[in-house]
Amino acid sequence: MRVSSFIARFSAVVITIVIAVSAANATPPRPDLEVRDELYERLDTLSETILLVMKHYVEEVGTDDLVHGAIEGIMSRLDPHSGLMTPHVFEQEQVEMKGEFEGVGIEVTMRDGKLVVVTPIEDSPAEKAGVHAGDEIVFIGDTHAKDIDFPNLMEKLRGPRGTKVTIKVRRIDEEELIPITITRDVIKITSVKKKRIGKVGVIRITKFQRNTHTDVAKAISELGEDGDLLGLVLDLRNNPGGLLGQAVKVSDLFLEKGTIVSTRGRDIEQEVVHRARDDGNEPTIPMVVLINQGSASASEIVAGALQDHKRALVIGERSFGKGSVQTLFSLSDGSALRITSALYYTPSDRSIQARGIEPDIEVKSVRPAKMDKPKAHSSKIREEDISGHFKVPELIAGDIGKKDAKPELPTTDPQLSRAVQLLSNWELLRDIDRNISVDNEVEKK
């Protein structure tokens, strides 16, 4: 490649990042002449650096590596959720949103330069192999994670079905690194799962991807076919997020009016208020939402909206606390930028950034003693920890007189058990409250 054409290409890429990407959203104010002149001066310095590396570095460096390296340097000055996605990684991102890809199946983030597992994807090879939320991945194969940039880290974890990768993780309760060998497979993310426990319906959302809201609507309909449903549990535990639009639509399934979430950023186009619409078919049965430290982003939007509107009781543990919105901007070479463009706020104007959603009733999860139980939570990793960030308790003792047999509760899941108990006895508790109110009125008379 000729030097002059390289400089022109490199300058165009940088200008695209600084100016045109913002313009892609709407029509924000253009930088004044002084700022633009300063930018072009800095681009000269950057171009000089590139040329010196190309000419004098001991080994030949590809132009793509140089350009992407420069962009990664820019993005590294921002928050941990902004970054460059190479063409292959960007393509994989699009595939993952459709719900199927090949790899190990974990959601990770960078924390103080460390690669940390937010949560293993449910039923994935990583979960089955014993990877836990909160594990720090120290080695991938023989390579130390600190020696690999984030996009390449992800590339090393992905791979064809049937191939193996060994990682070594540091766990807060263990003195030595734990080696875990994972056999890669096709990761089919079933976004929505449903079941009944007695007369309580349970809908689990593993990730917000395309058509999640239609699958949730279908699950609600199927669970209520017999007409005897007493309540509904919406399980958002270990849900790392996904598409903002789907979080809004899922929330709208349960709300008749009011704000679901609002987003605010520097660009006026990012100031959006998403509101519920009355479709006339919203379920009216009592609801519980389950969250934990692995509930992040889109799942926190849903939990926050239903909590603020008092449509659902939130049970579990404080959520991850990722209250920012990322927008993807494709670049001309097939790569893309993920840029934190706004913060989101719940209907009561709460920002959960680094705070998370606090449950109405806190119920701790069970921590298995052995590593071969994949759903352990050995450490609490939340947004606030990331450098640079913007026996089952009884509700009522004994048999309280329900005519129907008690549902068989999941004894290894105290959070779900508590939710099912509460919803199963909801009508009785409401009758007790109504009787107390009547008695008080009688006493006054």
Side-chain angles (χ1 to χ4, degrees):
M1 177 182 290
R2 294 175 55 191
V3 171
S4 59
S5 64
F6 172 79
I7 295 175
R9 175 188 171 196
F10 181 79
S11 300
V13 170
V14 176
I15 293 171
T16 299
I17 294 170
V18 178
I19 301 173
V21 163
S22 296
N25 274 335
T27 54
R30 295 177 61 83
D32 57 36
L33 291 176
E34 183 178 349
V35 173
R36 294 178 66 186
D37 288 343
E38 182 180 357
L39 172 61
Y40 283 116
E41 288 178 9
R42 295 293 183 240
L43 286 176
D44 287 340
T45 303
L46 198 53
S47 297
E48 290 171 4
T49 303
I50 295 291
L51 291 174
L52 288 170
V53 172
M54 292 179 67
K55 183 176 181 179
H56 297 290
Y57 188 65
V58 64
E59 294 179 347
E60 183 176 351
V61 184
T63 54
D64 282 344
D65 289 336
L66 290 170
V67 171
H68 287 162
I71 298 172
E72 287 168 357
I74 294 172
M75 303 307 290
S76 68
R77 294 297 188 98
L78 308 179
D79 72 303
H81 303 295
S82 298
L84 171 70
M85 305 171 71
T86 62
H88 181 64
V89 172
F90 183 38
E91 182 181 354
Q92 287 293 318
E93 183 85 2
Q94 306 306 303
V95 172
E96 287 186 25
M97 283 302 172
K98 296 178 182 178
E100 183 173 318
F101 61 99
E102 292 184 332
V104 299
I106 53 175
E107 297 283 345
V108 296
T109 190
M110 295 300 295
R111 183 192 66 170
D112 296 331
K114 300 174 182 177
L115 187 66
V116 177
V117 177
V118 175
T119 184
I121 294 173
E122 188 171 320
D123 296 328
S124 68
E127 185 192 54
K128 293 173 182 177
V131 177
H132 298 174
D135 284 349
E136 176 199 343
I137 300 177
V138 181
F139 283 92
I140 302 177
D142 296 326
T143 307
H144 200 293
K146 71 178 182 179
D147 297 328
I148 318 173
D149 57 34
F150 190 74
N152 287 324
L153 282 169
M154 300 309 296
E155 283 296 287
K156 282 186 170 293
L157 291 172
R158 292 187 177 101
R161 177 183 184 180
T163 60
K164 297 180 183 293
V165 60
T166 297
I167 62 175
K168 292 181 180 179
V169 304
R170 178 176 289 116
R171 190 165 295 162
I172 196 168
D173 296 330
E174 303 288 341
E175 294 182 1
E176 298 183 357
L177 296 181
I178 302 171
I180 303 175
T181 299
I182 309 170
T183 302
R184 299 182 181 97
D185 202 347
V186 175
I187 311 298
K188 294 183 178 181
I189 303 177
T190 303
S191 175
V192 178
K193 302 179 180 181
K194 71 179 190 304
K195 64 180 177 181
R196 280 183 60 135
I197 302 177
K199 293 186 178 181
V200 174
V202 180
I203 296 177
R204 168 149 173 72
I205 304 178
T206 59
K207 190 171 185 178
F208 289 89
Q209 56 194 39
R210 296 172 188 172
N211 299 320
T212 293
H213 78 288
T214 57
D215 293 338
V216 172
K218 181 180 178 182
I220 294 170
S221 176
E222 292 175 349
L223 287 169
E225 285 178 349
D226 294 337
D228 62 346
L229 211 59
L230 293 178
L232 183 66
V233 177
L234 188 64
D235 190 350
L236 302 178
R237 293 174 298 174
N238 294 325
N239 181 323
L243 300 175
L244 170 64
Q246 288 297 310
V248 170
K249 290 180 179 179
V250 168
S251 301
D252 195 18
L253 292 173
F254 305 102
L255 298 173
E256 296 179 356
K257 60 181 180 180
T259 298
I260 293 173
V261 66
S262 58
T263 61
R264 303 172 203 163
R266 232 170 22 117
D267 183 352
I268 193 171
E269 292 292 328
Q270 294 289 344
E271 296 186 7
V272 179
V273 178
H274 300 273
R275 301 183 185 278
R277 301 175 302 172
D278 186 0
D279 297 320
N281 58 356
E282 291 83 0
T284 58
I285 55 176
M287 282 185 65
V288 167
V289 174
L290 295 181
I291 60 171
N292 65 2
Q293 63 184 15
S295 305
S297 194
S299 57
E300 293 174 295
I301 288 175
V302 176
L306 298 182
Q307 185 181 53
D308 281 2
H309 283 288
K310 302 187 185 303
R311 177 62 187 89
L313 197 65
V314 178
I315 292 179
E317 300 165 292
R318 181 162 66 94
S319 62
F320 185 81
K322 182 181 177 295
S324 58
V325 178
Q326 283 68 47
T327 303
L328 290 178
F329 299 94
S330 59
L331 301 179
S332 58
D333 67 346
S335 58
L337 295 180
R338 179 192 280 114
I339 298 179
T340 297
S341 53
L343 297 178
Y344 69 76
Y345 297 81
T346 71
S348 63
D349 212 32
R350 286 184 294 164
S351 170
I352 60 91
Q353 174 63 18
R355 298 188 184 101
I357 298 293
E358 293 283 353
D360 299 305
I361 301 176
E362 184 176 18
V363 179
K364 297 292 186 181
S365 59
V366 169
R367 288 176 52 186
K370 295 183 179 179
M371 178 186 155
D372 58 359
K373 296 182 181 180
K375 293 185 179 179
H377 298 279
S378 57
S379 60
K380 296 183 177 180
I381 305 302
R382 297 188 173 92
E383 176 78 8
E384 65 183 344
D385 300 314
I386 302 174
S387 177
H389 70 262
F390 289 108
K391 195 176 189 174
V392 179
E394 294 291 337
L395 182 64
I396 297 178
D399 191 336
I400 54 178
K402 291 294 287 184
K403 293 182 180 179
D404 299 318
K406 286 186 177 182
E408 184 176 345
L409 300 178
T411 57
T412 58
D413 190 341
Q415 295 166 340
L416 180 57
S417 293
R418 185 66 174 271
V420 172
Q421 280 183 319
L422 183 61
L423 291 171
S424 297
N425 297 317
W426 196 284
E427 287 185 341
L428 177 63
L429 294 174
R430 186 174 55 188
D431 289 341
I432 291 173
D433 182 64
R434 186 183 300 117
N435 291 335
I436 291 172
S437 299
V438 172
D439 290 342
N440 287 338
E441 289 299 319
V442 170
E443 286 182 5
K444 289 179 182 179
K445 294 179 180 180

